[in-house]
Amino acid sequence: MLAVNYTSLRENMKSYMDQVTDDYETMIVTRKNNKNVVMMSEEAYNNLMENIHVMGNKANYDWLMESKAQLENGNFASHTLTEVAEDE
């Protein structure tokens, strides 16, 4: 996690935004009176929200953990996929 003050962020906005999106960094923007802000890419934010949704619902979490256990125990099936032509 990176930390940068507001003035530096303002002066180098593009560079910092590129670093956040390209390197999957999370950045704390420090401000007066400890009113800090966190900057992250939209992709990281969406992933975080999806994880909160899945992990925040007990039924979803239990289903996910059961599926994980089945996979780890070798209880799965694999299938060969076939490619379908565009005109079909």
Side-chain angles (χ1 to χ4, degrees), residues 3-5 9 12 16 21 25 28-29 32 38 41 53 56-57 68 71 73 76 80:
V4 62
N5 66 40
L9 175 68
N12 302 290
Y16 285 125
T21 57
E25 287 285 353
I28 297 174
V29 181
K32 290 181 182 177
V38 175
S41 69
H53 173 73
N57 179 303
K68 181 179 179 235
L71 179 63
N73 292 327
F76 63 90
T80 303

Side-chain angles (χ1 to χ4, degrees), residues 19-86:
Q19 195 170 3
V20 165
T21 57
D22 296 345
D23 300 337
Y24 300 99
E25 287 285 353
T26 302
M27 182 176 297
I28 297 174
V29 181
T30 58
R31 301 170 62 209
K32 290 181 182 177
N33 299 323
N34 223 16
K35 293 185 175 187
N36 300 337
V37 173
V38 175
M39 183 189 321
M40 65 174 54
S41 69
E42 179 182 19
E43 183 180 358
Y45 172 80
N46 289 338
N47 184 274
L48 177 64
M49 292 292 99
E50 183 176 350
N51 284 328
I52 288 171
H53 173 73
V54 169
M55 302 304 256
N57 179 303
K58 182 153 176 40
N60 283 345
Y61 179 80
D62 291 344
W63 175 81
L64 184 63
M65 291 300 104
E66 175 62 25
S67 297
K68 181 179 179 235
Q70 289 174 359
L71 179 63
E72 289 171 344
N73 292 327
N75 186 12
F76 63 90
S78 63
H79 305 275
T80 303
L81 300 178
T82 57
E83 199 168 317
V84 177
E86 287 185 31

Side-chain angles (χ1 to χ4, degrees), residues 8-22:
S8 180
L9 175 68
R10 189 177 58 224
E11 292 170 356
N12 302 290
M13 180 71 78
K14 181 185 180 326
S15 172
Y16 285 125
M17 291 173 95
D18 288 343
Q19 195 170 3
V20 165
T21 57
D22 296 345

